[in-house]
Structure formats: structure tokens, C-alpha cells
Amino acid sequence: KAETEEAGGTTPDDAAPPPPDPIAAAYLHADDLSSDDEDENGVQNRIGRVPLHWYDEYDHIGYDMTGSKVIKSATGSAAEDALDRALRNEDDRAEGKFVVRDALNARDVVLTDRQVELIRRVQMGAYAHPEHEAHPDYVDYYSGVPEKSGLNSGAHPPKARFQPSRREKMQVRRLLHRLKCGSITMDFLTGRVRDMNDLVKRRDGTTDEPFLLWKGDEEDELANRKGPQHIAAPKVPPPGHAESYVPPEEYLPTEQERKEWDDMEPKDRPHGLLVPKRFDNL
């Protein structure tokens, strides 16, 4: 390497990369310029996305951009039967041709080797252009080692670095004020108590431990609580024979008693609005 530098030459590492292949570059960009809307022959069907079987009974397959009919070709795969089509495919395979049928324009299209290669690569999930370099060599445009500048190397540190922080001073003043007010204690500052609410509960004797809702001495609590004395509601008397679903025969009213009860006021009846009835299915 030293001999090469003395001779004024370049080393292999400093050599420029080889120039790109102009043929490959031409192929790489020529395919991108093609479009489905272009028609070199000037004949292209413009019927749009309509079913082609609509034109089965006509001699044309559609209309071109000038409004002229696109006549069906008398020769080709459309006018052949299965046997002729099989023989023609064998001849095309022997000649190395790949022919596809363009049903929209009613013509046979012979694919070039380049087009067949593009179709094969797309089917395999690779890049369509063989000239495309998927993993090019990395070019380190920017160095990863930062350059040290000497502009600020001799600068003096600022004076604020040697003075106490104003924010810490405000925090200390706030803690001293809370200590004087009694909202916090030294146990909280030293870490013995994580929350001042725990200390307040400890002083009051209240804890967060679970307790029974019904202790068994509800009567004593009702007697000692503040407010008026609790008065229990009167108990409802148990139902009699007249309110039974199957009362005895002597409690069932006769027809004469029913008529008399209907003439009486509900408040004057023996059982109010209740009429004793017997249900044999119960």
C-alpha cells in the first residue's frame, strides 16, 4: 500500500466502484415506462368492464378509441377447436414461443423472454426486475466517530453550578412549613411512615382491618345511639280460617249471607273485602 501511495496510484480500498451496466439500467427503467393505457398499434378495446359474452353473437368484440368496431380475428385461438389449439401449443413450445390470448382485443400476444422472466419472478415473490439489487453495499456517508471541537474546551464553568439550587431551597422551606403546621412528622420524613393517613388512623385507633357487620349486640347499640327511642312496629296477626285457601265448611258463606254481604258496606262486613272461598285443587 505504501509503495502504491509513493507511486501516486490508488489502493484497492480507495478505488472507485465499477460503473453500472448501461444495458441493465436501460432495462430497469424501460419496464417502468410501459402502461396498460398505451396502444402501439392504435387498436384497443374501449368497452370497459362489461361481460365479453355480450358480443358472442356479433362479428366484433367492442369499439376502439375512434368509435370503430374491433373485428374478431378469423384466425387464432378463438377460431380453433381443442385439437388445433393443442397442436399449435406444441408448435409454439418447440419454437420457444409463449403465446397468450388477449380476449379483450381478440388477438394473440407473443410474450418476449423479458416478459416471461418478469412474470416468473413475480410468481415466485421476488423483485420483478432482475437488475434490481435488493442488498446493495452499505456506503458510510457519515462517520460514526464524532469530531471534538476546541471552541468551548477552555470555557470556564458557569457560576450557577457552585451555588445552591433554588428549587431545593423552596422544597426545604415547604417541608419546614408543613412540620410547623403538624401536617407531617419526622417519622414521615425519615421513612418510618409511608403515608400520614396511616399515622392519623393509628392515633384514632381506627384500622383498615375487616370487621363484622352484625356483632350480636344490636339491641345495645340501638339503646345507646343518639336520637329518639326505636319503637318496633306492631306485628300483624296470623291469618284465620276465613283467609285460608281450603277453609272449613262452617266458614264458607251461604247464598243468603252473600246477598246480605253485598248490601252491606265493606267496613261493616265480617271480613271486609275478603270473601271466603274454597279451592279444591290446592
Side-chain angles (χ1 to χ4, degrees):
K1 182 176 180 181
E3 295 177 357
T4 308
E5 292 178 354
E6 292 177 0
T10 58
T11 60
D13 297 338
D14 300 335
D21 188 3
I23 300 178
Y27 273 124
L28 185 62
H29 296 285
D31 295 326
D32 295 337
L33 297 178
S34 62
S35 175
D36 296 338
D37 297 335
E38 299 176 0
D39 192 2
E40 299 177 357
N41 301 328
V43 178
Q44 188 176 13
N45 202 346
R46 303 288 181 172
I47 59 175
R49 294 183 178 181
V50 298
L52 296 180
H53 64 82
W54 289 0
Y55 296 90
D56 291 345
E57 300 178 358
Y58 299 94
D59 59 345
H60 61 282
I61 195 64
Y63 303 90
D64 57 5
M65 61 184 304
T66 60
S68 303
K69 296 181 180 180
V70 179
I71 305 300
K72 298 179 181 179
S73 60
T75 60
S77 59
E80 297 175 350
D81 54 3
L83 181 59
D84 295 338
R85 193 179 301 109
L87 294 175
R88 188 175 59 83
N89 291 337
E90 291 295 333
D91 296 340
D92 294 340
R93 188 178 295 107
E95 297 177 2
K97 295 190 300 183
F98 194 89
V99 183
V100 294
R101 179 65 181 176
D102 186 4
L104 182 61
N105 297 315
R107 61 183 179 181
D108 294 337
V109 180
V110 180
L111 299 181
T112 61
D113 297 340
R114 173 73 179 182
Q115 294 173 345
V116 174
E117 178 66 17
L118 294 180
I119 295 174
R120 185 187 65 82
R121 293 178 63 87
V122 170
Q123 290 178 346
M124 294 177 60
Y127 290 96
H129 299 285
E131 298 80 17
H132 178 74
E133 182 64 30
H135 305 285
D137 296 337
Y138 175 72
V139 180
D140 190 7
Y141 294 101
Y142 302 97
S143 176
V145 180
E147 296 183 359
K148 297 182 180 180
S149 175
L151 297 178
N152 299 326
S153 59
H156 296 283
K159 187 178 180 180
R161 295 184 182 178
F162 302 95
Q163 294 181 352
S165 175
R166 294 184 179 180
R167 183 174 181 83
E168 293 180 358
K169 185 178 181 180
M170 294 175 60
Q171 291 179 353
V172 171
R173 186 179 302 174
R174 189 180 299 109
L175 292 176
L176 289 176
H177 177 70
R178 294 182 64 183
L179 282 172
K180 292 180 181 179
C181 296
S183 59
I184 59 174
T185 59
M186 290 301 299
D187 294 339
F188 175 75
L189 295 179
T190 55
R192 296 180 181 178
V193 180
R194 292 185 298 177
D195 191 358
M196 286 300 298
N197 295 328
D198 299 341
L199 187 60
V200 173
K201 292 179 181 178
R202 191 181 305 171
R203 292 175 181 175
D204 298 343
T206 58
T207 59
D208 294 336
E209 297 180 359
F211 58 92
L212 297 177
L213 294 177
W214 296 275
K215 301 179 181 179
D217 52 352
E218 290 85 357
E219 297 181 358
D220 298 340
E221 293 182 359
L222 293 175
N224 297 330
R225 71 177 184 177
K226 297 181 180 180
Q229 187 68 21
H230 174 70
I231 300 176
K235 295 183 179 181
V236 180
H241 294 285
E243 299 178 1
S244 175
Y245 289 102
V246 189
E249 295 292 340
E250 58 269 16
Y251 288 94
L252 295 176
T254 60
E255 295 182 0
Q256 184 178 359
E257 292 177 350
R258 290 286 301 274
K259 293 180 181 179
E260 293 178 358
W261 287 3
D262 293 340
D263 297 339
M264 297 172 60
E265 295 292 335
K267 62 181 180 179
D268 298 335
R269 295 176 185 176
H271 305 289
L273 297 176
L274 178 64
V275 179
K277 294 182 181 180
R278 184 181 182 87
F279 300 92
D280 297 333
N281 57 344
L282 297 178

